[in-house]
Amino acid sequence: MAVERTLSLIKPDAVQRNLIGTILMRFEQAGFRIVGAKMLRLTQEQAEGFYSEHQNKEFFSDLVDYMMSAPVVALVLEKENAVKDYRTLIGATNPQQAAVGTIRRDFALNGRHNSVHGSDSLESAKREIAYFFVETELF
């Protein structure tokens, strides 16, 4: 199996609650290598662009506002089967439906304030990584 890369965002709710280190530890304990990292505060244009597939949905404006409410930590994680393994590690979008021991089950406040974002496919991972990182920022 080939080594893959996936995008992770530690979302504003987790940043505000000082969970960055705890979440990073979970990634490393699960065998992920962090090959890119940056903290940034999303502009409206960045948040709208990143979530553009949801722009016609009722929750879009609230999602954009939430993602701009505090800094996020953007990460590129690497390992074999990274996309699938990361999705398993973070759990279902709705923390009440997430498996015990997943990041969202343990740290999310609700379905929107669910602490982390993860790419849902290898194609999405490539697109999302390129949204936040240039190749020279990855190691």
Side-chain angles (χ1 to χ4, degrees):
M1 186 169 285
V3 172
E4 297 174 352
R5 288 181 171 177
T6 192
L7 181 83
S8 168
L9 291 179
I10 301 177
K11 292 181 174 181
D13 67 282
V15 171
Q16 289 175 314
R17 291 181 291 136
N18 297 313
L19 294 173
I20 297 168
T22 302
I23 291 172
L24 292 177
M25 185 175 67
R26 292 267 190 104
F27 296 161
E28 290 182 330
Q29 288 174 338
F32 289 94
R33 274 186 357 106
I34 299 169
V35 297
K38 61 174 73 171
M39 180 180 252
L40 63 154
R41 188 168 205 137
L42 296 180
T43 65
Q44 184 164 349
E45 181 180 350
Q46 288 171 318
E48 288 176 348
F50 187 71
Y51 287 107
S52 63
E53 75 248 27
H54 300 301
Q55 77 181 59
N56 293 323
K57 296 180 181 164
E58 187 176 300
F59 62 83
F60 181 70
S61 180
D62 289 340
L63 174 61
V64 168
D65 289 345
Y66 160 61
M67 291 302 293
M68 294 174 12
S69 67
V72 299
V73 178
L75 302 152
V76 179
L77 305 177
E78 180 180 85
K79 73 178 278 208
E80 286 187 8
N81 208 30
V83 173
K84 182 175 182 267
D85 288 357
Y86 182 74
R87 299 291 292 184
T88 299
L89 177 65
I90 64 173
T93 302
N94 181 339
Q96 295 172 334
Q97 297 171 349
V100 172
T102 61
I103 290 171
R104 287 177 170 157
R105 178 67 174 251
D106 292 346
F107 302 119
L109 300 173
N110 55 50
R112 176 163 302 126
H113 301 100
N114 61 6
S115 300
V116 289
H117 165 86
S119 303
D120 62 4
S121 69
L122 196 52
E123 296 75 28
S124 292
K126 289 176 182 174
R127 182 182 71 254
E128 291 176 353
I129 289 168
Y131 193 84
F132 288 104
F133 293 90
V134 295
E135 193 60 38
T136 57
E137 296 175 311
L138 304 176
F139 300 94

